[in-house]
Amino acid sequence: MDVRTSFAAQGYTQARPATQPSPNAAGSAGAAQGFAALAENFAETLRAGEETAKAAMMGGADPHALVEALAASELAVETAVTLRNKVVEAYQEILRMPV
């Protein structure tokens, strides 16, 4: 048997598990948990921004904290809108596909 053939077979057996999906990352349960965590993080960011804005109106928060909270809320909303737009675009592309 040739040495190169042995190396090729060895490389193939090492690379084969990389093509199989990981049970932890695959499946709708993993995706659902990821989206649930994302939605919870989004809601918490908005909630923290609102609380900081209320505290700033009452004189309990400094302006710097208010600006930081509003910037974080704005970034979270822009990210959610961009994600929604991508999902809508993908759905429209699916509808345009010939059957």
Side-chain angles (χ1 to χ4, degrees):
M1 179 158 84
D2 191 13
V3 173
R4 288 177 286 173
T5 320
S6 175
F7 287 144
Q10 187 180 21
Y12 176 74
T13 56
Q14 290 174 351
R16 185 161 173 93
T19 60
Q20 297 172 350
S22 170
N24 295 340
S28 61
Q33 290 174 348
F35 283 124
L38 183 68
E40 182 64 33
N41 190 12
F42 174 74
E44 183 59 37
T45 301
L46 292 182
R47 201 173 301 121
E50 289 176 359
E51 291 299 321
T52 306
K54 287 178 189 176
M57 287 182 211
M58 303 290 261
D62 60 339
H64 182 69
L66 177 63
V67 170
E68 283 182 353
L70 291 178
S73 297
E74 181 181 10
L75 181 63
V77 170
E78 287 177 358
T79 303
V81 168
T82 302
L83 181 64
R84 183 214 48 176
N85 289 344
K86 291 292 184 182
V87 169
V88 169
E89 287 175 15
Y91 180 71
Q92 289 173 344
E93 284 294 319
I94 290 170
L95 288 180
R96 284 190 219 120
M97 286 183 181
V99 179

